[in-house]
Amino acid sequence: MFGWLKTNPIKKLRKAYDQKLEQAMHAQRNGDMRLYADLTAESEQIWQQIQQLEQSTT
């Protein structure tokens, strides 16, 4: 009945993924390659979580 009130975990993870990629882009532009690598690795982990959730829902 109140299914529309539930948060969508995939949508939340995609938003976090996009934010990490944006932060990584800014780090790369500023020349901080270590931070860029760390943020890219974190975004890859988030992407793996998204893929697992999408596979489990289908």
Side-chain angles (χ1 to χ4, degrees), residues 1-7:
M1 182 171 159
F2 290 104
W4 56 275
L5 288 176
K6 293 181 183 176
T7 59

Side-chain angles (χ1 to χ4, degrees), residues 1 10 45 51:
M1 182 171 159
I10 295 174
Q45 290 174 351
Q51 293 297 326

Side-chain angles (χ1 to χ4, degrees), residues 6-52:
K6 293 181 183 176
T7 59
N8 186 353
I10 295 174
K11 186 176 180 181
K12 186 177 179 181
L13 284 173
R14 283 191 186 270
K15 185 175 181 179
Y17 175 73
D18 290 338
Q19 287 175 345
K20 287 290 180 189
L21 285 179
E22 186 174 349
Q23 290 173 353
M25 177 192 66
H26 289 296
Q28 184 180 29
R29 286 186 179 174
N30 289 331
D32 192 352
M33 290 306 180
R34 183 173 300 240
L35 180 60
Y36 169 73
D38 291 341
L39 291 171
T40 304
E42 289 177 21
S43 68
E44 286 297 321
Q45 290 174 351
I46 294 171
W47 184 251
Q48 292 298 324
Q49 291 175 356
I50 292 170
Q51 293 297 326
Q52 289 174 355

